[in-house]
């Protein structure tokens, strides 16, 4: 039995178990097992699997069929061209968060245009560090403090920072939002993808999410805005004048967050859509 046949069988199994993008999942699991890229799978289609490899592949496919997220099985994920370690208990980065990073980078470039040689960024709720590390890797002037309530997320972020050779510009601090950093510290940009699912919506989440991802990364009170409200309230005291707050939100919250900011000391309040046309990012500039 060659790779083509294993892939066909695995795809059928995953489809039967309700896994979307079954073929892609089958390929990524096999590539992970054989330590090949997906492209290399295609150039090795005639390769046979040893009995040990075949057994190991079957175990991986069954595990994925049970609903365990692919990224927790392979132990990594891609984000803005970086490969980052992820682990059970820590939120898996989503592709739409790349838009948040775009908008944070634009804000950072605005700050740079006004003369800052070193730009300070605070990432609240960093998870595996995807936002913090993208910003640091894409802007040499950025010095990023990445925080999370969860020490496991902080450890993972620090590991990813070291692996990406960004340990000298990404500092990790554990704690509840702004409590994680020194009282007097100020930043040019505060960025956050906080938890924003209303607590009553547990049942409507996909099984892969509610069964495997940490609830502290997902839920934020009855209306889902508990953490966002605290991030917004605390931001003016932590930003330099003209600094930016950039938030990922649920599309159902975008206008409420805009109103919250419109009622405060903020200028240039703007809502941005993700690639699917949903209002997912809100950005504002601290006025004088
Ligand atoms: C939706 S996840 C986002 C993770 C990552 N930044 C991303 O974009 O994929 C939210 C993160 O915020 C953290 N978090 C939740 N409440 C927090 C709090 N009060 N203070 C700091 N971090 C918090 C969670 O542990 C989780 O890692």
């Amino acid at each position: 039995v060659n790779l083509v046949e294993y892939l066909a069988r695995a795809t059928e199994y995953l489809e039967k178990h309700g896994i979307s993008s079954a073929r892609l999942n089958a390929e990524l699991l096999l590539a992970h097992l054989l330590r090949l890229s997906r492209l290399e799978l295609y150039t090795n289609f005639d390769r046979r699997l040893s009995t040990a490899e075949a057994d190991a592949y079957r175990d991986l496919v069954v595990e994925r069929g049970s609903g365990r997220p692919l990224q927790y099985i392979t132990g990594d994920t891609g984000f803005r061209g970086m490969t980052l370690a992820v682990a059970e208990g820590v939120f898996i980065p989503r592709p739409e968060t790349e838009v948040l990073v775009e908008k944070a980078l634009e804000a950072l470039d605005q700050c740079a245009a006004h003369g800052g040689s070193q730009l300070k960024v605070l990432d609240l709720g960093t998870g595996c560090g995807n936002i913090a590390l993208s910003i640091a890797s894409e802007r040499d002037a950025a010095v990023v403090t990445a925080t999370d309530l969860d020490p496991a997320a902080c450890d993972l972020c620090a590991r990813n920072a070291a692996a990406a050779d960004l340990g000298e510009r990404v500092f990790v601090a554990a704690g509840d939002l702004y409590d994680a950093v020194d009282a007097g510290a100020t930043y040019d940009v505060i960025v956050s993808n906080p938890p924003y699912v209303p607590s009553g919506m547990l049942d409507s989440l996909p099984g892969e999410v509610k069964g495997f991802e940490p609830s502290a990364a997902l839920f934020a009170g009855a209306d889902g805005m508990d953490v966002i409200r605290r991030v917004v309230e605390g931001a003016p005291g932590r930003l330099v004048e003209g600094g930016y707050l950039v938030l990922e939100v649920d599309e159902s919250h975008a206008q409420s967050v805009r109103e919250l900011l419109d009622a405060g000391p903020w200028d240039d309040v703007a809502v941005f859509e993700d690639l699917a046309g949903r209002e997912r990012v809100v950005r504002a500039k601290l006025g004088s």
Side-chain angles (χ1 to χ4, degrees):
V1 182
N2 62 19
L3 296 195
V4 184
E5 287 157 79
Y6 278 107
L7 283 171
R9 285 184 203 171
T11 303
E12 195 185 328
Y13 180 90
L14 292 174
E15 268 167 2
K16 250 191 224 150
H17 285 77
I19 304 298
S20 55
S21 307
R23 170 75 188 197
L24 177 64
N25 274 263
E27 289 180 7
L28 290 170
L29 287 171
L30 190 56
H32 166 71
L33 177 75
L34 301 177
R35 296 174 195 278
L36 297 173
S37 68
R38 256 181 88 213
L39 187 65
E40 286 167 333
L41 279 187
Y42 281 89
T43 54
N44 282 278
F45 261 173
D46 289 332
R47 188 182 185 290
R48 313 252 146 198
L49 294 189
S50 68
T51 311
E53 284 171 339
D55 288 348
Y57 187 49
R58 193 195 49 233
D59 290 348
L60 291 176
V61 171
V62 168
E63 202 179 346
R64 181 69 189 103
S66 77
R68 189 158 182 234
L70 178 76
Q71 296 89 337
Y72 287 155
I73 299 175
T74 61
D76 60 36
T77 195
F79 189 82
R80 288 185 75 87
M82 305 181 89
T83 300
L84 300 171
V86 291
E88 199 114 18
V90 177
F91 187 81
I92 300 166
R94 306 296 204 267
E96 56 266 32
T97 302
E98 298 198 6
V99 177
L100 175 72
V101 172
E102 290 283 340
K103 297 302 161 192
L105 291 173
E106 282 175 19
L108 213 56
D109 293 342
Q110 285 298 316
C111 297
H114 294 105
S117 59
Q118 196 195 59
L119 296 165
K120 289 178 67 192
V121 179
L122 177 63
D123 174 20
L124 296 170
T126 199
C128 73
N130 50 313
I131 299 169
L133 295 168
S134 304
I135 291 175
S137 79
E138 294 182 47
R139 293 296 182 276
D140 290 343
V143 176
V144 188
T145 303
T147 76
D148 206 289
L149 192 56
D150 177 9
C154 290
D155 286 350
L156 196 57
C157 175
R159 235 175 78 200
N160 278 323
D165 216 6
L166 290 168
E168 287 178 8
R169 285 190 296 114
V170 176
F171 301 95
V172 183
D176 181 13
L177 297 184
Y178 300 101
D179 290 350
V181 294
D182 290 342
T186 54
Y187 301 87
D188 296 283
V189 172
I190 296 174
V191 63
S192 185
N193 174 17
Y196 49 66
V197 180
S199 44
M201 278 185 54
L202 173 66
D203 288 342
S204 58
L205 293 179
E208 291 193 18
V209 177
K210 69 179 170 208
F212 292 91
E213 294 199 82
S215 53
L218 302 171
F219 300 106
D223 68 352
M225 295 241 319
D226 282 9
V227 180
I228 287 181
R229 267 190 289 270
R230 290 171 54 217
V231 170
V232 170
E233 268 163 31
R238 299 302 187 141
L239 281 171
V240 300
E241 196 182 312
Y244 286 85
L245 175 63
V246 196
L247 297 172
E248 180 169 322
V249 299
D250 184 78
E251 62 180 323
S252 67
H253 295 149
Q255 293 307 324
S256 314
V257 175
R258 180 208 284 267
E259 283 163 24
L260 205 59
L261 291 162
D262 279 338
W266 301 95
D267 295 334
D268 302 344
V269 180
V271 176
F272 301 96
E273 295 176 354
D274 66 11
L275 298 174
R278 297 170 304 184
E279 295 185 327
R280 296 300 307 277
V281 175
V282 184
R283 188 174 71 194
K285 180 178 176 181
L286 187 64
S288 44

